[in-house]
Coordinates of all heavy atoms in Angstrom, one line a residue:
M6 N 20.2 -6.2 4.8 CA 19.0 -5.5 5.3 C 18.4 -4.6 4.3 O 19.0 -4.4 3.2 CB 19.4 -4.7 6.5 CG 20.1 -3.3 6.2 SD 20.4 -2.3 7.6 CE 19.8 -0.8 7.2
I7 N 17.1 -4.3 4.5 CA 16.4 -3.5 3.5 C 16.1 -2.1 4.2 O 15.8 -2.0 5.3 CB 14.9 -4.1 3.3 CG1 15.2 -5.5 2.7 CG2 14.1 -3.2 2.4 CD1 15.8 -5.6 1.4
V18 N 13.2 1.8 -2.0 CA 13.6 0.7 -1.2 C 15.0 0.2 -1.6 O 15.3 -0.1 -2.8 CB 12.6 -0.6 -1.6 CG1 13.0 -1.8 -0.8 CG2 11.2 -0.1 -1.2
V20 N 18.1 -2.4 -1.2 CA 18.7 -3.8 -0.7 C 20.1 -3.5 -0.3 O 21.0 -3.0 -1.1 CB 18.6 -4.8 -1.8 CG1 19.3 -6.1 -1.2 CG2 17.2 -5.1 -2.2
D21 N 20.4 -3.6 1.0 CA 21.8 -3.2 1.5 C 22.5 -4.3 2.1 O 22.4 -4.6 3.3 CB 21.4 -2.0 2.6 CG 22.8 -1.4 3.0 OD1 23.9 -1.8 2.6 OD2 22.7 -0.4 3.7
R22 N 23.2 -5.0 1.3 CA 24.0 -6.1 1.7 C 25.3 -6.0 0.8 O 25.5 -7.0 0.0 CB 23.3 -7.4 1.4 CG 23.2 -8.4 2.6 CD 22.7 -9.7 2.3 NE 23.6 -10.7 2.7 CZ 23.8 -11.9 2.2 NH1 23.3 -12.2 1.0 NH2 24.7 -12.6 2.8
N27 N 24.8 -7.2 -2.6 CA 23.2 -7.2 -2.4 C 22.5 -8.4 -2.8 O 21.4 -8.4 -3.1 CB 22.7 -6.0 -3.1 CG 23.4 -4.7 -2.7 OD1 23.6 -4.5 -1.5 ND2 23.6 -3.8 -3.7
A28 N 23.2 -9.6 -2.8 CA 22.5 -10.9 -3.0 C 21.6 -11.1 -1.9 O 21.8 -10.7 -0.8 CB 23.6 -12.0 -3.0
L29 N 20.5 -11.7 -2.2 CA 19.4 -11.9 -1.3 C 19.5 -13.3 -0.6 O 19.3 -14.3 -1.2 CB 18.0 -11.8 -2.0 CG 17.8 -10.4 -2.6 CD1 16.6 -10.5 -3.6 CD2 17.5 -9.4 -1.5
D30 N 19.6 -13.2 0.7 CA 19.5 -14.5 1.5 C 18.2 -14.5 2.1 O 17.3 -13.5 1.9 CB 20.7 -14.5 2.5 CG 20.6 -13.4 3.5 OD1 19.8 -12.5 3.4 OD2 21.6 -13.2 4.4
A31 N 17.8 -15.5 2.9 CA 16.5 -15.7 3.5 C 16.0 -14.5 4.2 O 14.9 -14.0 3.9 CB 16.5 -16.9 4.4
S32 N 16.9 -14.0 5.2 CA 16.4 -12.8 6.0 C 16.2 -11.6 5.1 O 15.2 -10.8 5.3 CB 17.2 -12.6 7.1 OG 18.6 -12.2 6.8
T33 N 17.1 -11.3 4.1 CA 16.9 -10.1 3.4 C 15.7 -10.2 2.4 O 15.0 -9.2 2.3 CB 18.3 -9.9 2.5 OG1 19.4 -10.2 3.3 CG2 18.4 -8.5 2.0
L34 N 15.5 -11.4 1.8 CA 14.5 -11.5 0.9 C 13.1 -11.4 1.7 O 12.1 -10.9 1.2 CB 14.5 -12.8 0.1 CG 13.3 -13.1 -0.9 CD1 13.2 -12.0 -1.9 CD2 13.6 -14.4 -1.6
T35 N 13.0 -12.0 2.9 CA 11.8 -11.9 3.7 C 11.5 -10.4 4.1 O 10.4 -10.0 3.9 CB 11.9 -12.7 5.0 OG1 12.3 -14.1 4.6 CG2 10.7 -12.8 5.8
E36 N 12.6 -9.7 4.5 CA 12.4 -8.4 4.7 C 11.9 -7.6 3.6 O 11.2 -6.7 3.7 CB 13.8 -7.9 5.3 CG 13.7 -7.0 6.5 CD 15.1 -6.4 6.7 OE1 16.1 -7.2 7.0 OE2 15.2 -5.1 6.7
L37 N 12.4 -7.8 2.5 CA 12.1 -7.2 1.2 C 10.6 -7.4 0.9 O 9.8 -6.6 0.6 CB 13.0 -7.6 0.0 CG 12.6 -7.0 -1.4 CD1 12.8 -5.4 -1.4 CD2 13.5 -7.7 -2.5
R38 N 10.3 -8.7 1.0 CA 8.8 -9.1 0.7 C 7.9 -8.3 1.7 O 6.9 -7.7 1.3 CB 8.6 -10.5 0.8 CG 7.4 -11.2 0.5 CD 6.3 -11.3 1.6 NE 6.9 -11.7 2.9 CZ 6.9 -12.9 3.4 NH1 6.3 -13.9 2.7 NH2 7.3 -13.2 4.6
D39 N 8.3 -8.3 2.9 CA 7.4 -7.6 3.9 C 7.4 -6.1 3.7 O 6.3 -5.4 3.8 CB 8.0 -7.9 5.4 CG 7.8 -9.3 5.7 OD1 7.1 -10.1 5.0 OD2 8.4 -9.7 6.8
A40 N 8.5 -5.5 3.4 CA 8.5 -4.0 3.1 C 7.7 -3.7 1.9 O 6.9 -2.7 1.9 CB 10.0 -3.5 2.8
L41 N 7.7 -4.6 0.8 CA 6.9 -4.3 -0.3 C 5.5 -4.4 0.0 O 4.5 -3.7 -0.5 CB 7.4 -5.2 -1.5 CG 8.7 -5.0 -2.1 CD1 9.0 -6.1 -3.0 CD2 8.8 -3.7 -2.7
G42 N 5.1 -5.5 0.9 CA 3.7 -5.7 1.2 C 3.1 -4.4 1.9 O 2.1 -4.0 1.7
L55 N 13.0 0.6 -6.5 CA 13.8 -0.5 -6.0 C 15.3 -0.3 -6.4 O 15.5 -0.1 -7.7 CB 13.3 -1.8 -6.4 CG 14.1 -3.0 -5.9 CD1 14.1 -3.2 -4.4 CD2 13.6 -4.4 -6.5
I64 N 21.2 -6.0 -7.5 CA 21.1 -7.2 -6.7 C 21.7 -8.4 -7.6 O 21.4 -8.6 -8.7 CB 19.5 -7.6 -6.5 CG1 18.8 -6.5 -5.6 CG2 19.5 -9.0 -5.8 CD1 17.2 -6.7 -5.7
G66 N 21.6 -11.4 -7.3 CA 20.8 -12.6 -7.4 C 20.5 -13.3 -6.1 O 20.7 -12.5 -5.0
A67 N 20.0 -14.3 -6.1 CA 19.7 -15.1 -4.9 C 21.0 -15.4 -4.3 O 22.1 -15.6 -5.1 CB 18.9 -16.4 -5.1
D68 N 21.2 -15.6 -3.0 CA 22.4 -15.8 -2.4 C 22.8 -17.3 -2.6 O 22.1 -18.2 -2.1 CB 22.3 -15.7 -0.8 CG 23.7 -15.8 -0.1 OD1 24.3 -16.8 -0.3 OD2 24.1 -14.8 0.5
Y71 N 23.6 -19.7 0.5 CA 22.5 -20.1 1.2 C 21.7 -21.1 0.3 O 21.4 -22.1 0.9 CB 21.5 -18.9 1.3 CG 20.2 -19.2 1.8 CD1 19.9 -19.7 3.1 CD2 19.1 -19.2 0.9 CE1 18.7 -20.1 3.5 CE2 17.7 -19.6 1.3 CZ 17.6 -20.0 2.6 OH 16.3 -20.4 3.0
M72 N 21.6 -21.0 -1.0 CA 20.8 -21.8 -1.9 C 21.4 -23.2 -1.9 O 20.8 -24.2 -2.1 CB 20.8 -21.2 -3.2 CG 19.5 -20.4 -3.5 SD 19.2 -20.2 -5.2 CE 20.7 -19.9 -5.9
L75 N 20.0 -26.0 0.1 CA 18.6 -26.4 0.2 C 18.3 -27.7 -0.3 O 18.8 -28.1 -1.3 CB 17.8 -25.3 -0.5 CG 18.0 -23.8 -0.1 CD1 17.2 -22.9 -1.0 CD2 17.7 -23.7 1.4
A80 N 13.9 -25.6 -1.4 CA 14.1 -24.7 -2.7 C 12.7 -24.2 -3.2 O 12.6 -23.1 -3.8 CB 14.8 -25.6 -3.7
K81 N 11.6 -25.1 -3.0 CA 10.3 -24.6 -3.5 C 9.7 -23.5 -2.7 O 9.2 -22.5 -3.3 CB 9.3 -25.9 -3.4 CG 9.5 -26.9 -4.6 CD 8.4 -28.0 -4.6 CE 8.7 -28.9 -5.8 NZ 7.9 -30.0 -5.8
E82 N 10.0 -23.6 -1.4 CA 9.6 -22.4 -0.6 C 10.4 -21.2 -0.9 O 9.9 -20.0 -1.0 CB 9.8 -22.8 0.9 CG 8.8 -23.6 1.5 CD 9.1 -24.0 3.0 OE1 9.9 -23.3 3.6 OE2 8.7 -25.1 3.3
W83 N 11.7 -21.4 -1.2 CA 12.6 -20.3 -1.7 C 12.1 -19.5 -2.9 O 12.1 -18.4 -3.0 CB 14.1 -20.8 -1.7 CG 15.1 -19.8 -2.0 CD1 16.0 -19.9 -3.1 CD2 15.4 -18.6 -1.4 NE1 16.8 -18.9 -3.1 CE2 16.5 -18.1 -2.1 CE3 14.9 -17.9 -0.2 CZ2 17.1 -16.9 -1.7 CZ3 15.5 -16.7 0.1 CH2 16.7 -16.2 -0.6
G84 N 11.8 -20.4 -3.8 CA 11.2 -20.0 -5.1 C 9.9 -19.1 -4.8 O 9.7 -18.1 -5.3
A85 N 9.1 -19.7 -4.0 CA 7.7 -19.1 -3.7 C 8.0 -17.7 -3.1 O 7.2 -16.7 -3.4 CB 7.0 -20.1 -2.9
L86 N 9.0 -17.6 -2.2 CA 9.2 -16.4 -1.5 C 9.7 -15.3 -2.5 O 9.1 -14.1 -2.5 CB 10.3 -16.5 -0.3 CG 10.6 -15.3 0.5 CD1 9.4 -14.8 1.2 CD2 11.8 -15.7 1.4
G87 N 10.5 -15.7 -3.5 CA 11.0 -14.8 -4.5 C 9.7 -14.3 -5.4 O 9.6 -13.1 -5.8
H88 N 8.9 -15.3 -5.6 CA 7.7 -15.0 -6.5 C 6.7 -14.0 -5.7 O 6.1 -13.2 -6.4 CB 6.9 -16.3 -6.8 CG 7.5 -16.8 -8.1 ND1 7.2 -16.3 -9.4 CD2 8.4 -17.8 -8.3 CE1 7.8 -17.1 -10.3 NE2 8.6 -18.0 -9.7
E89 N 6.7 -14.0 -4.4 CA 5.9 -13.2 -3.7 C 6.3 -11.8 -3.8 O 5.6 -10.9 -4.0 CB 6.0 -13.5 -2.1 CG 4.8 -14.7 -1.8 CD 4.9 -14.9 -0.3 OE1 4.7 -13.9 0.5 OE2 5.1 -16.0 0.2
A90 N 7.7 -11.6 -3.7 CA 8.3 -10.3 -3.8 C 8.0 -9.9 -5.3 O 7.6 -8.6 -5.4 CB 9.8 -10.3 -3.5
G91 N 8.3 -10.6 -6.2 CA 8.1 -10.3 -7.6 C 6.7 -9.9 -7.8 O 6.3 -8.9 -8.5
G92 N 5.8 -10.7 -7.3 CA 4.4 -10.5 -7.5 C 3.9 -9.2 -7.0 O 3.1 -8.4 -7.5
L93 N 4.4 -8.8 -5.8 CA 4.0 -7.5 -5.2 C 4.5 -6.3 -6.1 O 3.7 -5.4 -6.3 CB 4.7 -7.4 -3.8 CG 4.0 -8.2 -2.7 CD1 4.8 -8.4 -1.5 CD2 2.6 -7.4 -2.3
L94 N 5.7 -6.4 -6.6 CA 6.2 -5.4 -7.5 C 5.4 -5.2 -8.7 O 5.0 -4.2 -9.2 CB 7.7 -5.6 -7.9 CG 8.8 -5.5 -6.8 CD1 10.0 -6.1 -7.2 CD2 8.9 -4.0 -6.4
G112 N 18.2 -13.6 -9.8 CA 16.9 -13.0 -9.1 C 17.0 -11.5 -9.0 O 15.8 -11.0 -8.9
G113 N 18.1 -11.0 -9.2 CA 18.1 -9.5 -9.3 C 17.5 -8.9 -10.5 O 16.6 -8.1 -10.5
L116 N 13.7 -9.6 -10.2 CA 12.9 -8.6 -9.6 C 12.8 -7.2 -10.4 O 11.7 -6.6 -10.3 CB 13.5 -8.4 -8.2 CG 13.5 -9.5 -7.2 CD1 14.1 -9.3 -5.9 CD2 12.0 -9.9 -7.0
G143 N 14.3 -18.7 -11.2 CA 13.2 -19.2 -10.3 C 12.4 -18.3 -9.8 O 11.4 -18.5 -9.0
W144 N 12.6 -16.9 -10.0 CA 11.7 -15.9 -9.6 C 11.0 -15.1 -10.7 O 10.8 -13.9 -10.7 CB 12.5 -14.9 -8.7 CG 13.1 -15.5 -7.4 CD1 12.8 -16.7 -6.9 CD2 14.1 -14.9 -6.6 NE1 13.5 -16.9 -5.7 CE2 14.3 -15.8 -5.6 CE3 14.8 -13.6 -6.6 CZ2 15.2 -15.6 -4.5 CZ3 15.5 -13.4 -5.6 CH2 15.8 -14.4 -4.5

Side-chain angles (χ1 to χ4, degrees):
M6 79 179 227
I7 301 298
V18 179
V20 176
D21 190 350
R22 235 191 126 214
N27 305 323
L29 295 167
D30 59 4
S32 63
T33 318
L34 181 57
T35 304
E36 224 187 298
L37 176 62
R38 188 268 321 261
D39 293 347
L41 293 174
L55 178 65
I64 299 168
D68 189 303
Y71 167 75
M72 270 197 316
L75 301 182
K81 285 187 177 174
E82 281 174 26
W83 180 235
L86 184 60
H88 273 281
E89 275 183 56
L93 280 161
L94 289 164
L116 292 180
W144 295 349

